[in-house]
PDB file of all heavy atoms in Angstrom:
ATOM      1  N   LEU A 109      -4.851   1.542 -24.163  1.00 98.00           N
ATOM      2  CA  LEU A 109      -4.386   0.730 -25.230  1.00 98.00           C
ATOM      3  C   LEU A 109      -3.688   1.526 -26.409  1.00 98.00           C
ATOM      4  O   LEU A 109      -2.734   1.072 -27.000  1.00 98.00           O
ATOM      5  CB  LEU A 109      -5.501  -0.116 -25.862  1.00 98.00           C
ATOM      6  CG  LEU A 109      -5.975  -1.216 -24.861  1.00 98.00           C
ATOM      7  CD1 LEU A 109      -7.318  -1.862 -25.387  1.00 98.00           C
ATOM      8  CD2 LEU A 109      -4.915  -2.318 -24.730  1.00 98.00           C
ATOM      9  N   ILE A 110      -4.236   2.778 -26.583  1.00 98.00           N
ATOM     10  CA  ILE A 110      -3.663   3.646 -27.614  1.00 98.00           C
ATOM     11  C   ILE A 110      -2.225   4.073 -27.086  1.00 98.00           C
ATOM     12  O   ILE A 110      -1.210   4.104 -27.792  1.00 98.00           O
ATOM     13  CB  ILE A 110      -4.531   4.857 -27.881  1.00 98.00           C
ATOM     14  CG1 ILE A 110      -5.925   4.464 -28.453  1.00 98.00           C
ATOM     15  CG2 ILE A 110      -3.787   5.890 -28.773  1.00 98.00           C
ATOM     16  CD1 ILE A 110      -5.872   3.953 -29.798  1.00 98.00           C
ATOM     17  N   ALA A 111      -2.077   4.375 -25.757  1.00 98.00           N
ATOM     18  CA  ALA A 111      -0.881   4.787 -25.186  1.00 98.00           C
ATOM     19  C   ALA A 111       0.153   3.611 -25.277  1.00 98.00           C
ATOM     20  O   ALA A 111       1.354   3.766 -25.369  1.00 98.00           O
ATOM     21  CB  ALA A 111      -1.018   5.219 -23.746  1.00 98.00           C
ATOM     22  N   ALA A 112      -0.302   2.331 -25.271  1.00 98.00           N
ATOM     23  CA  ALA A 112       0.524   1.158 -25.397  1.00 98.00           C
ATOM     24  C   ALA A 112       0.987   0.961 -26.840  1.00 98.00           C
ATOM     25  O   ALA A 112       1.817   0.112 -27.170  1.00 98.00           O
ATOM     26  CB  ALA A 112      -0.169  -0.065 -24.877  1.00 98.00           C
ATOM     27  N   GLY A 113       0.378   1.716 -27.792  1.00 98.00           N
ATOM     28  CA  GLY A 113       0.866   1.605 -29.182  1.00 98.00           C
ATOM     29  C   GLY A 113      -0.133   1.245 -30.283  1.00 98.00           C
ATOM     30  O   GLY A 113       0.053   1.178 -31.421  1.00 98.00           O
ATOM     31  N   ALA A 114      -1.403   0.983 -29.786  1.00 98.00           N
ATOM     32  CA  ALA A 114      -2.429   0.696 -30.795  1.00 98.00           C
ATOM     33  C   ALA A 114      -2.889   1.904 -31.549  1.00 98.00           C
ATOM     34  O   ALA A 114      -2.959   3.018 -31.041  1.00 98.00           O
ATOM     35  CB  ALA A 114      -3.601   0.042 -30.096  1.00 98.00           C
ATOM     36  N   HIS A 115      -3.257   1.722 -32.822  1.00 98.00           N
ATOM     37  CA  HIS A 115      -3.827   2.809 -33.631  1.00 98.00           C
ATOM     38  C   HIS A 115      -5.399   2.947 -33.290  1.00 98.00           C
ATOM     39  O   HIS A 115      -5.978   3.954 -33.511  1.00 98.00           O
ATOM     40  CB  HIS A 115      -3.644   2.585 -35.062  1.00 98.00           C
ATOM     41  CG  HIS A 115      -2.224   2.528 -35.571  1.00 98.00           C
ATOM     42  ND1 HIS A 115      -1.668   1.460 -36.198  1.00 98.00           N
ATOM     43  CD2 HIS A 115      -1.237   3.519 -35.472  1.00 98.00           C
ATOM     44  CE1 HIS A 115      -0.401   1.759 -36.440  1.00 98.00           C
ATOM     45  NE2 HIS A 115      -0.164   2.974 -36.028  1.00 98.00           N
ATOM     46  N   ALA A 116      -5.969   1.759 -32.988  1.00 98.00           N
ATOM     47  CA  ALA A 116      -7.403   1.735 -32.727  1.00 98.00           C
ATOM     48  C   ALA A 116      -7.733   0.623 -31.737  1.00 98.00           C
ATOM     49  O   ALA A 116      -6.938  -0.294 -31.543  1.00 98.00           O
ATOM     50  CB  ALA A 116      -8.151   1.499 -34.030  1.00 98.00           C
ATOM     51  N   VAL A 117      -8.897   0.724 -31.158  1.00 98.00           N
ATOM     52  CA  VAL A 117      -9.317  -0.355 -30.234  1.00 98.00           C
ATOM     53  C   VAL A 117     -10.624  -0.973 -30.798  1.00 98.00           C
ATOM     54  O   VAL A 117     -11.351  -0.386 -31.514  1.00 98.00           O
ATOM     55  CB  VAL A 117      -9.606   0.126 -28.818  1.00 98.00           C
ATOM     56  CG1 VAL A 117      -8.363   0.701 -28.172  1.00 98.00           C
ATOM     57  CG2 VAL A 117     -10.772   1.149 -28.752  1.00 98.00           C
ATOM     58  N   LYS A 118     -10.738  -2.288 -30.615  1.00 98.00           N
ATOM     59  CA  LYS A 118     -11.945  -3.038 -31.069  1.00 98.00           C
ATOM     60  C   LYS A 118     -12.791  -3.474 -29.854  1.00 98.00           C
ATOM     61  O   LYS A 118     -12.244  -3.855 -28.854  1.00 98.00           O
ATOM     62  CB  LYS A 118     -11.480  -4.273 -31.901  1.00 98.00           C
ATOM     63  CG  LYS A 118     -12.641  -5.066 -32.333  1.00 98.00           C
ATOM     64  CD  LYS A 118     -12.263  -6.105 -33.479  1.00 98.00           C
ATOM     65  CE  LYS A 118     -11.617  -7.302 -32.879  1.00 98.00           C
ATOM     66  NZ  LYS A 118     -12.452  -8.147 -31.927  1.00 98.00           N
ATOM     67  N   LEU A 119     -14.098  -3.278 -30.076  1.00 98.00           N
ATOM     68  CA  LEU A 119     -14.968  -3.836 -29.064  1.00 98.00           C
ATOM     69  C   LEU A 119     -16.092  -4.629 -29.704  1.00 98.00           C
ATOM     70  O   LEU A 119     -16.444  -4.378 -30.864  1.00 98.00           O
ATOM     71  CB  LEU A 119     -15.522  -2.784 -28.119  1.00 98.00           C
ATOM     72  CG  LEU A 119     -16.242  -1.603 -28.656  1.00 98.00           C
ATOM     73  CD1 LEU A 119     -17.693  -1.960 -28.937  1.00 98.00           C
ATOM     74  CD2 LEU A 119     -16.253  -0.469 -27.578  1.00 98.00           C
TER      75      LEU A 119
END
Side-chain angles (χ1 to χ4, degrees):
L109 289 169
I110 299 289
H115 297 118
V117 297
K118 176 168 79 59
L119 60 78

